[in-house]
Amino acid sequence: MLTDTPGIHHVTGIVRDAQRNVEFYTQLLGLRLVKQTVNLNEKFTRHLFYGDATGSPGTALTFFPYPAEEDGRVGRPQITTTALVVPRGALDYWRERLTDAGVGVETTERFGESVLRFTDPDGTTLELVAGASDVTPWTGGTVPAEHAIRGIHGVTLLPTNPFHTASLLDTLGFELEAQEGDRVRYRVPGDRATVVDLLDRAAAFGREGAGSYHHVAMRVADENELYEWHSLLRERGYEVSRVKDRHFFHSLYVREPGGILFELATETPGLAAVEDTANLGQSLYLPPWLEEDREMIEPRLVPLDVPDEAV
């Protein structure tokens, strides 16, 4: 039986430099490099996954590094921001840590939450939100457990028509929670990564590129339920892809009329299901159908030096 999504599965962005990306997200933010593999649509492009110890759904940030990519431009219709949750009382630690690393930070309040905003080296906008989370953080990295990032809090979307985007959120099980100015908050009653904010504002059109987000994925229990979602979305007139085998999960894509690209991704088998947990992220992982091409693929990828603390 079809059930509402319990929240966000992962968020994926586009960057330029894989080495710089790994160093920022593992050394500075303290996330674990859970998987280094390739874009299954473009096998000569890396795909990097970060998160908790196993990259569990609701903690995963992923990136496609394109060395020659032009800068992106934030605008409609785009995901503008990913917010990550840290323990209450940890923002002073993070403000000092980021500032000492030369990263500019802005502090704000939103919906009763304290928020720290900054950008990664490619200009991707991130936020740290002080809040509660049941997620156990990665404790083998560079950030003490009492301050460590617990996973995704939510995303902010800037669609061409927020009413269209809200309609898909409603279909997925999100409910209108609050509004502050031109920001409207939707939430599902899940255990993590449950928030989507819609911006209802005039803005120029954006451009996909380095520093922009590609898509946000929502959690689905298993492949059978994914096919049920496929049928329901088609019945409701959405443009839906076929179900795709991503090896670590199965998924489908839907670009709703507001212009935001959503993915629905299964929680199984998971990023840690195909490798020994202790060795995640240490080397390039290729799914079985690409393994026979490893000698062709690896030389065409920009070399990547993974710090010990990253894995």
Side-chain angles (χ1 to χ4, degrees):
M1 183 175 177
L2 190 62
T3 58
D4 294 340
T5 178
I8 295 168
H9 187 283
H10 67 268
V11 187
T12 295
I14 298 170
V15 295
R16 186 176 295 112
D17 188 313
Q19 186 66 50
R20 188 170 60 177
N21 187 257
V22 167
E23 292 170 358
F24 184 87
Y25 284 90
T26 64
Q27 302 302 97
L28 184 58
L29 296 192
L31 300 177
R32 188 181 193 188
L33 177 61
V34 182
K35 191 73 63 187
Q36 51 163 315
T37 183
V38 295
N39 183 340
L40 298 186
N41 292 331
E42 301 176 41
K43 62 185 178 183
F44 301 118
T45 299
R46 289 188 183 274
H47 194 179
L48 304 173
F49 291 77
Y50 306 94
D52 65 1
T54 61
S56 57
T59 75
L61 288 176
T62 96
F63 294 93
F64 299 131
Y66 292 99
E69 185 68 35
E70 297 290 332
D71 287 341
R73 182 179 62 243
V74 176
R76 299 181 297 157
Q78 282 187 347
I79 303 162
T80 67
T81 310
T82 298
L84 307 171
V85 64
V86 297
R88 292 187 175 93
L91 287 187
D92 287 343
Y93 168 87
W94 280 103
R95 184 183 297 106
E96 182 176 353
R97 182 178 179 87
L98 291 167
T99 301
D100 287 349
V103 178
V105 298
E106 299 176 12
T107 304
T108 188
E109 296 282 331
R110 189 170 62 226
F111 298 111
E113 299 168 337
S114 297
V115 180
L116 201 65
R117 183 181 297 117
F118 58 100
T119 60
D120 75 4
D122 284 281
T124 313
T125 303
L126 298 159
E127 293 174 339
L128 297 179
V129 177
S133 172
D134 293 333
V135 173
T136 300
W138 166 237
T139 56
T142 60
V143 177
E146 64 267 26
H147 302 304
I149 292 169
R150 263 53 178 175
I152 297 170
H153 177 265
V155 292
T156 299
L157 311 181
L158 178 59
T160 56
N161 186 321
F163 299 102
H164 287 317
T165 309
S167 179
L168 178 59
L169 292 175
D170 180 71
T171 297
L172 293 172
F174 284 81
E175 296 182 356
L176 174 63
E177 182 178 79
Q179 181 170 357
E180 287 188 0
D182 60 6
R183 180 182 291 266
V184 184
R185 171 153 294 184
Y186 288 80
R187 189 189 293 269
V188 287
D191 59 349
R192 60 191 183 278
T194 58
V195 169
V196 173
D197 287 352
L198 297 185
L199 298 179
D200 184 8
R201 65 177 61 157
F205 283 94
R207 180 178 64 205
E208 190 172 272
S212 71
Y213 288 101
H214 187 266
H215 66 269
V216 56
M218 298 298 174
R219 293 156 59 191
V220 172
D222 54 37
E223 191 176 354
N224 289 336
E225 191 167 297
L226 186 65
Y227 276 100
E228 291 185 53
W229 277 110
H230 186 273
S231 297
L232 177 64
L233 292 170
R234 290 193 64 185
E235 288 171 5
R236 297 193 177 183
Y238 289 101
E239 181 181 344
V240 187
S241 75
R242 62 179 178 83
V243 170
K244 300 176 182 290
D245 180 0
R246 297 310 194 194
H247 190 55
F248 315 112
F249 49 82
H250 284 74
S251 72
L252 62 80
Y253 296 85
V254 52
R255 190 177 294 278
E256 48 81 30
I260 305 296
L261 181 61
F262 285 82
E263 182 181 17
L264 275 64
T266 62
E267 297 190 89
T268 56
L271 294 173
V274 293
E275 288 184 282
D276 176 22
T277 302
N279 297 319
L280 295 178
Q282 293 183 5
S283 59
L284 179 68
Y285 178 86
L286 295 176
W289 62 88
L290 291 178
E291 185 59 48
E292 62 184 20
D293 294 330
R294 179 178 289 272
E295 292 185 1
M296 176 178 63
I297 292 172
E298 282 194 303
R300 296 185 60 175
L301 300 175
V302 176
L304 185 63
D305 180 21
V306 179
D308 291 340
E309 297 87 352
V311 294

